[in-house]
């Protein structure tokens, strides 16, 4: 076999392989509509549990196996209220009830729920007792799902306040980290 025949054979084999991959159904592939429907169901559940959160700021990332998707395929389901006191943010497991009269089932899906919000963070390190200036503060969207709701949304909210502790660069500024400056400092006259 000559070199030319060998390259022609490899090229045609490569083309066939590309065509097979492009036009064959992917094994274990997730139907986009199924995933979108499940994310919508989870977001609706979160909306009921956390009415003060805007749903456009919620991001749900699913972690499920092909076996899970095949069990869920074409069925109606809802997020179960069995564990109503469980947190619905961060890495969590959602119990799903499959609404089938013949074969009711309960399956679980692992998801990471992030809630993004505009927050103020320190652009550079701020030492204890230093007053905040707008130049070193920045506002950015960050995941606030695991934080208490005691953070600042606008730079103006920190006007005239000072750091109660040393605040590292790029740390979200929360209300317990700041204080109003004292009227009289120890040792001053």
């Amino acid at each position: 076999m000559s070199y030319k025949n060998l390259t022609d054979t490899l090229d045609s084999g490569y083309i066939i392989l590309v065509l097979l991959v492009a036009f064959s159904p992917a094994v274990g592939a997730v139907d986009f509509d199924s995933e979108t429907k499940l994310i919508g169901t989870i977001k609706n559940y979160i909306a009921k549990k956390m009415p003060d959160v805007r749903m456009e700021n919620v991001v749900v990332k699913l972690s499920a196996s092909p076996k899970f998707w095949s069990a869920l395929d074409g069925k109606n389901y809802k997020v179960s209220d069995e564990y109503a006191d469980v947190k619905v943010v961060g890495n969590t497991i959602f119990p799903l009830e499959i609404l089938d009269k013949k074969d009711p089932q309960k399956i679980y899906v692992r998801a990471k729920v992030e809630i993004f919000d505009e927050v103020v963070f320190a652009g550079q390190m701020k030492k204890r007792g230093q007053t905040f200036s707008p130049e070193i503060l920045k506002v950015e969207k960050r995941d606030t799902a695991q934080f208490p709701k005691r953070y600042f949304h606008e730079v103006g909210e920190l006007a005239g306040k000072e750091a109660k502790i040393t605040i590292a660069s790029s740390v979200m500024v929360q209300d317990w980290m700041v204080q109003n400056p004292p009227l009289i400092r120890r040792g001053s006259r």
Side-chain angles (χ1 to χ4, degrees):
M1 184 183 278
S2 71
Y3 179 74
K4 179 160 178 32
N5 291 341
L6 180 63
T7 56
D8 290 343
T9 306
L10 288 177
D11 287 344
S12 63
Y14 177 73
I15 291 171
I16 292 171
L17 178 65
V18 169
L19 290 174
L20 282 174
V21 170
F23 293 109
S24 66
V27 177
V30 178
D31 182 19
F32 182 72
D33 292 336
S34 298
E35 187 174 6
T36 305
K37 179 182 173 189
L38 180 56
I39 289 172
T41 303
I42 291 173
K43 280 187 171 186
N44 289 337
Y45 181 75
I46 293 169
K48 286 186 226 169
K49 299 276 282 183
M50 303 172 73
D52 58 327
V53 174
R54 294 192 341 230
M55 285 303 109
E56 61 266 10
N57 292 341
V58 176
V59 175
V60 177
K61 297 176 184 172
L62 300 173
S63 175
S65 67
K67 186 178 178 183
F68 168 82
W69 292 109
S70 64
L72 202 63
D73 192 32
K75 298 180 180 164
N76 291 325
Y77 52 86
K78 71 173 189 165
V79 177
S80 174
D81 285 329
E82 181 178 346
Y83 306 107
D85 56 338
V86 175
K87 67 180 180 96
V88 293
V89 293
N91 291 316
T92 189
I93 297 174
F94 289 95
L96 299 176
E97 286 181 41
I98 295 181
L99 306 172
D100 187 5
K101 292 180 183 178
K102 295 177 189 172
D103 186 24
Q105 294 178 3
K106 187 170 288 181
I107 58 175
Y108 300 88
V109 63
R110 181 179 304 273
K112 181 175 184 181
V113 178
E114 300 171 325
I115 300 174
F116 287 90
D117 203 357
E118 297 271 333
V119 295
V120 176
F121 68 97
Q124 60 186 342
M125 188 171 88
K126 204 62 164 150
K127 293 193 177 186
R128 180 179 179 212
Q130 288 182 329
T131 305
F132 287 99
S133 61
E135 301 85 45
I136 67 143
L137 298 171
K138 297 190 181 336
V139 177
E140 187 177 281
K141 267 196 171 193
R142 292 199 177 175
D143 180 16
T144 60
Q146 302 291 342
F147 290 100
K149 299 292 179 204
R150 300 178 312 192
Y151 48 84
F152 296 95
H153 296 279
E154 296 176 12
V155 174
E157 294 175 295
L158 291 167
K161 300 204 183 261
E162 68 180 31
K164 195 186 288 187
I165 60 168
T166 299
I167 302 172
S169 168
S170 75
V171 170
M172 182 173 26
V173 181
Q174 298 186 37
D175 68 344
W176 61 270
M177 298 176 174
V178 300
Q179 66 184 4
N180 289 323
L183 298 174
I184 302 174
R185 293 198 187 270
R186 175 181 260 168
S188 65
R189 293 185 175 209

